[in-house]
């Protein structure tokens, strides 16, 4: 109902008749003016938001219960799409691949981000320069990063296997090997993304009061014990933030798999989002694709809630 | 870290070192500190090489003639420098066109996000109106919904826009806004992130400024445009940079809604390159360089803002 108030009120008027401030009437009148302007300011952004986020989110749920496929009729099929999902071997392949990716990517992402943040957390001028260097991969797009790694991971001439060769290791065929393609994508993704989380950890490290280190030092704690008993516990909130972001991102991995391997070799890099993409926009099975995306949403939500619970407990 | 533990060792440092430190004056370092510092340098340089070298190698590869790329893969300075790969990229595929398309879409995204983001962000931070809290919570909540859930329905919403692309009143019969720039611009015009980001900035500016202007009889729009907006310039700059990066690097959505090759963005064009030029690393790397250049340059010139922005957003 507030919308109608805002819509019927001529927006130009109050600008012209901006009242001289009467002590008695001022506040309530001002509130009404603010009410109008407030709605005017948010009207267009909220309309766009409604059309492209809220309505689609509702539609997704409805569509997942239909057999909508762009061409042909859409029929109400109830939970059939969800039932079908449980009998679809490709869904489980995609789920397993995504879980595998997440399981490798999240811990590795945390360790690399934390380690680099610890390295840079120093009162040296030059660490700002290195911070820039470390952050550079984040700037490039996943597609550009993927093409770079496509070349780095070339089995014969790529830097990766050449460097491994220096140590006498015969590197695998990476993207052409079904057991190495996913780890390769994980390594690439960690390289591409750790900079952001490193920045978050640097922020967290700056928040640790120096007295804590001093106290630990007086107690005779060395580098390792300070890390274990001072730094890591103080960073637990940051770690949960980082891990939540990583899990949410990991479950939605798509670009890398699309550009580098197209789901291959041997279906080893079909991820959930990749499968939704091929079902929805390749096979035009949009109803089914919506059902899969809802399952993915549910998985992400469960992880987010678990994370929030742990973080929440930590705060109190 | 090692630097922080080391001062504790001062007390235990052998007498000889103490004398030497006194004579040197400028470098008060114990042996343990020196080893720590050396190890630090080695570590940061290795990480910096790992992050920067792939980009450098990409550039070098893109400048090599076709014959040298595989045979001289390890040469860090090309035997002959050539621009033939860039020539091929720009003539065999309309990469220049892709570049302009991406630029148009990224700039449009920046302008609209700045406009809508500051309007709505200001309203949420400084104006009082009914429904504000509920709206803002919805907006924030939408940041948690994975993009993939709304992807299929958003596609259908764009396809069903009335009177667009041969559609009738109820949005049937044509392709709607698919294959138009609007398909990218509209859904991205008022990002929840932009609104949230600007709200944080406006919230940090004291309310008294607006109250004073209000008593002077300024209209609400003038208070926004002339009092608050100039003070939020720094925030707007950071948002502009982050939005440009995100728009330039976005891949999946343009891949889905643009099917005409002349309308492709650099990311989509580069991705199709990997399929079409699978072993032609020269043009592939040249395309990668062109794709990464705008965001890398932006990063070089505005890195302070970007890094501060990232820390600001994540510290909340």
């Amino acid at each position: 109902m507030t919308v109608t108030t805002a819509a019927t009120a001529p927006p130009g008027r109050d600008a012209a008749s901006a009242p001289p401030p009467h002590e008695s009437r001022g506040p309530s009148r001002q509130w009404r003016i603010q009410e109008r302007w407030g709605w005017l300011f948010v009207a267009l952004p909220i309309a766009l938001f409604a059309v492209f986020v809220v309505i689609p989110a509702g539609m997704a749920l409805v569509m997942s219960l239909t057999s909508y496929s762009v061409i042909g009729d859409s029929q109400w099929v109830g939970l059939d799409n969800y039932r079908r999902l449980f009998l679809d071997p490709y869904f489980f392949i995609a789920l397993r691949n995504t879980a595998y990716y997440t399981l490798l990517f999240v811990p590795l992402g945390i360790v690399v981000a934390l380690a680099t943040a610890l390295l840079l957390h120093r009162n040296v001028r030059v660490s700002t320069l290195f911070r820039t260097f470390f952050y550079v991969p984040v700037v490039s797009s996943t597609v550009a990063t993927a093409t770079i790694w496509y070349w780095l991971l070339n089995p014969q001439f790529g830097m990766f296997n050449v460097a491994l060769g220096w140590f006498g290791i015969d590197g695998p065929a990476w993207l052409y090997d079904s057991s190495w393609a996913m780890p390769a994508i994980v390594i690439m993704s960690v390289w591409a993304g750790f900079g952001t989380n490193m920045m978050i950890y640097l922020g967290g490290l700056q928040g640790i009061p120096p007295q804590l280190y001093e106290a630990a030092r007086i107690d005779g704690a060395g580098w390792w014990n300070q890390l274990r008993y001072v730094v890591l516990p103080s960073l637990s909130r940051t770690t949960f933030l980082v891990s939540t972001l990583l899990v949410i991102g990991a479950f939605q991995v798509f670009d890398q798999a699309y550009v580098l391997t197209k789901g291959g070799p041997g279906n080893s890099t079909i991820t959930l989002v990749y499968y939704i993409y091929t079902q929805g926009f390749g096979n035009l099975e949009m109803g089914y694709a919506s059902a899969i995306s809802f399952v993915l949403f549910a998985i992400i939500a469960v992880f987010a809630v678990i994370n929030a619970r742990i973080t929440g407990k930590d705060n109190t | 870290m090692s630097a922080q533990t080391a001062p504790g060792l001062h007390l235990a440092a052998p007498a000889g070192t103490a004398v030497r430190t006194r004579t040197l004056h400028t470098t008060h370092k114990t042996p343990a500190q020196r080893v720590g510092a050396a190890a630090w340098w080695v570590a940061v340089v290795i990480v910096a090489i790992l992050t920067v070298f792939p980009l450098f190698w990409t550039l070098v590869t893109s400048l090599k003639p076709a014959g040298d790329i595989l045979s001289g893969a390890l040469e860090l300075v090309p035997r002959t420098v050539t621009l033939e790969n860039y020539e091929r990229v720009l003539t065999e595929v309309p990469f220049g066109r892709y570049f302009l398309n991406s630029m148009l879409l990224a700039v449009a995204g920046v302008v609209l996000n700045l406009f809508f983001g500051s309007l709505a962000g200001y309203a949420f931070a400084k104006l009082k109106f009914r429904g504000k809290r509920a709206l803002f919570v919805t907006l924030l909540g939408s940041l948690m919904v994975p993009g993939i859930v709304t992807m299929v329905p958003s596609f259908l919403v764009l396809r069903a826009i009335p009177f667009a692309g041969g559609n009738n009143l109820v949005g049937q019969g044509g392709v709607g806004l698919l294959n138009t720039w609007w398909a990218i611009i509209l859904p991205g015009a008022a990002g929840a992130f932009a609104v949230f980001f600007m709200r944080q900035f406006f919230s940090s500016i004291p309310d008294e400024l607006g109250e004073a202007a209000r008593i002077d009889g300024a209209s609400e729009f003038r208070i926004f445009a002339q009092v608050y907006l100039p003070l939020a310039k720094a925030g707007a700059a950071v948002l502009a940079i982050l939005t440009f990066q995100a728009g330039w690097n976005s891949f999946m959505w343009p891949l889905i809604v643009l099917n005409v090759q002349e309308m492709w963005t650099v990311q989509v064009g580069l991705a199709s390159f990997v399929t079409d030029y699978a072993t032609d690393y020269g043009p592939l790397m040249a395309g990668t360089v062109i794709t990464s250049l705008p965001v890398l340059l932006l990063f070089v010139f505005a890195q302070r803002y970007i890094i501060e922005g990232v820390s600001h957003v994540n510290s909340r």
Side-chain angles (χ1 to χ4, degrees):
Chain A
M1 344 101 249
T2 15
V3 192
T4 36
T5 339
T8 47
R13 216 187 58 191
D14 44 57
S17 65
H22 288 293
E23 291 300 315
S24 54
R25 296 175 52 213
S28 72
R29 202 190 144 84
Q30 262 181 20
W31 277 37
R32 249 181 299 136
I33 293 171
Q34 280 202 20
E35 173 101 21
R36 254 181 262 157
W37 279 99
W39 272 99
L40 197 68
F41 277 20
V42 298
L44 256 174
I46 291 295
L48 283 169
F49 176 72
V51 172
F52 292 108
V53 181
V54 180
I55 293 175
M59 275 171 74
L61 184 61
V62 176
M63 274 174 56
S64 74
L65 304 172
T66 68
S67 64
Y68 188 77
S69 64
V70 183
I71 20 176
D73 286 333
S74 166
Q75 258 156 30
W76 189 263
V77 295
L79 292 174
D80 272 7
N81 282 327
Y82 292 93
R83 237 170 265 141
R84 175 178 163 193
L85 217 138
F86 280 99
L87 301 170
D88 182 352
Y90 287 104
F91 169 73
F92 283 102
I93 292 173
L95 185 64
R96 201 190 55 210
N97 289 340
T98 310
Y100 182 43
Y101 174 86
T102 308
L103 229 61
L104 289 179
F105 175 74
V106 175
L108 204 60
I110 291 176
V111 169
V112 173
L114 179 61
T116 46
L118 287 171
L119 262 182
L120 293 185
H121 184 59
R122 275 195 142 206
N123 267 333
V124 203
R125 255 215 126 138
V126 77
S127 67
T128 328
L129 176 72
F130 282 105
R131 191 179 66 178
T132 306
F133 286 149
F134 290 10
Y135 192 75
V136 162
V138 177
V139 180
S140 282
S141 68
T142 17
V143 180
T145 308
T147 53
I148 293 170
W149 280 72
Y150 180 70
W151 177 214
L152 283 174
L153 291 169
N154 179 297
Q156 255 184 296
F157 306 101
M159 254 318 153
F160 237 78
N161 278 359
V162 169
L164 286 175
W166 294 336
F167 301 98
I169 301 167
D170 207 6
W174 297 110
L175 299 170
Y176 305 96
D177 182 330
S178 59
S179 50
W180 282 103
M182 195 54 106
I185 290 179
V186 169
I187 296 170
M188 192 206 99
S189 308
V190 170
W191 180 83
F194 82 89
T196 310
N197 298 320
M198 175 189 82
M199 301 300 300
I200 300 177
Y201 267 126
L202 272 172
L205 283 170
Q206 271 155 21
I208 303 177
Q211 295 93 302
L212 283 182
Y213 293 111
E214 255 159 57
R217 233 174 275 140
I218 289 165
D219 288 346
W223 180 85
W224 172 249
N225 281 333
Q226 281 190 41
L227 178 67
R228 205 172 142 198
Y229 297 109
V230 177
V231 179
L232 291 184
S234 312
L235 287 178
S236 62
R237 274 200 66 189
T238 318
T239 302
F240 285 121
L241 171 66
V242 169
S243 58
T244 309
L245 291 175
L246 283 174
V247 167
I248 292 175
F251 273 112
Q252 296 187 76
V253 58
F254 169 78
D255 296 8
Q256 300 93 313
Y258 179 88
V259 176
L260 286 177
T261 52
K262 293 271 193 302
N267 295 334
S268 63
T269 56
I270 294 183
T271 64
L272 278 174
V273 172
Y274 188 84
Y275 192 53
I276 294 168
Y277 172 79
T278 51
Q279 287 297 316
F281 299 101
N283 301 346
L284 297 180
E285 297 230 33
M286 297 202 164
Y288 188 46
S290 298
I292 308 173
S293 69
F294 251 87
V295 171
L296 174 59
F297 182 31
I299 296 172
I300 294 175
V302 165
F303 272 94
V305 166
I306 292 173
N307 241 309
R309 275 278 164 80
I310 304 170
T311 322
K313 237 183 245 161
D314 223 65
N315 288 341
T316 48
Chain B
M1 275 319 299
S2 45
Q4 276 154 350
T5 50
L9 294 170
H10 256 299
L11 304 170
T17 348
V19 173
R20 211 168 61 201
T21 349
R22 223 172 286 140
T23 51
L24 279 173
H25 280 300
T26 41
T27 52
H28 296 272
K29 278 183 179 168
T30 64
Q33 265 179 313
R34 276 207 202 112
V35 172
W40 184 80
W41 273 98
V42 171
V44 287
V45 168
I46 287 176
V47 178
I49 289 173
L50 289 175
T51 52
V52 177
F53 178 76
L55 300 170
F56 174 72
W57 200 42
T58 302
L59 180 68
V60 170
T61 305
S62 76
L63 294 172
K64 286 179 184 170
D68 289 1
I69 288 176
L70 293 182
S71 63
L74 278 182
E75 284 156 11
L76 297 184
V77 181
R79 260 174 283 174
T80 15
V81 173
T82 171
L83 290 177
E84 69 180 53
N85 295 318
Y86 290 88
E87 247 179 77
R88 284 187 61 193
V89 164
L90 294 172
T91 51
E92 287 173 26
V93 279
F95 223 88
R97 186 67 208 261
Y98 299 162
F99 193 90
L100 291 179
N101 295 343
S102 278
M103 198 51 91
L104 170 85
L105 291 172
V107 169
V110 169
V111 170
L112 289 170
N113 268 288
L114 276 187
F115 182 68
F116 288 134
S118 27
L119 271 181
Y122 172 77
F124 282 124
K126 294 292 176 207
L127 295 178
K128 296 189 186 83
F129 58 97
R130 261 170 293 164
K132 176 167 116 170
R133 235 191 102 73
L135 272 182
F136 190 67
V137 169
T138 318
L139 212 60
L140 258 189
S142 81
L143 284 174
M144 319 276 172
V145 178
I148 187 69
V149 174
T150 54
M151 209 152 264
V152 173
S154 291
F155 177 87
L156 296 174
V157 165
L158 285 168
R159 192 164 166 273
I161 301 279
F163 301 123
N167 274 352
N168 58 18
L169 172 68
V170 286
Q172 297 294 309
V175 291
L177 290 178
L178 296 177
N179 275 325
T180 68
W181 298 133
W182 296 114
I184 302 209
I185 292 174
L186 284 182
F193 172 76
V195 175
F196 174 69
F197 186 89
M198 290 312 289
R199 179 196 172 257
Q200 297 304 87
F201 249 86
F202 283 118
S203 298
S204 64
I205 305 170
D207 285 342
E208 287 75 27
L209 292 175
E211 297 300 332
R214 224 162 263 145
I215 289 166
D216 289 345
S219 77
E220 289 296 328
F221 187 77
R222 277 190 64 186
I223 297 174
F224 161 70
Q226 294 184 351
V227 178
Y228 283 104
L229 199 56
L231 292 172
K233 253 190 226 155
V238 174
L239 179 65
I241 293 164
L242 294 177
T243 313
F244 182 85
Q245 253 185 39
W248 183 269
N249 288 346
S250 78
F251 170 62
M252 195 177 180
W253 190 241
L255 176 75
I256 289 170
V257 295
L258 301 177
N259 289 317
V260 189
Q261 199 184 354
E262 286 77 56
M263 294 185 75
W264 279 1
T265 64
V266 277
Q267 311 297 342
V268 179
L270 185 63
S272 86
F273 240 56
V274 180
T275 325
D276 300 340
Y277 285 64
T279 52
D280 231 347
Y281 289 102
L284 196 56
M285 290 304 112
T288 308
V289 170
I290 296 175
T291 305
S292 311
L293 213 55
V295 277
L296 278 177
L297 284 180
L298 187 70
F299 177 65
V300 169
F301 288 113
Q303 47 153 308
R304 202 165 55 87
Y305 293 102
I306 294 176
I307 284 172
E308 269 167 22
V310 171
S311 327
H312 170 84
V313 171
N314 290 306
S315 60
R316 275 158 219 248

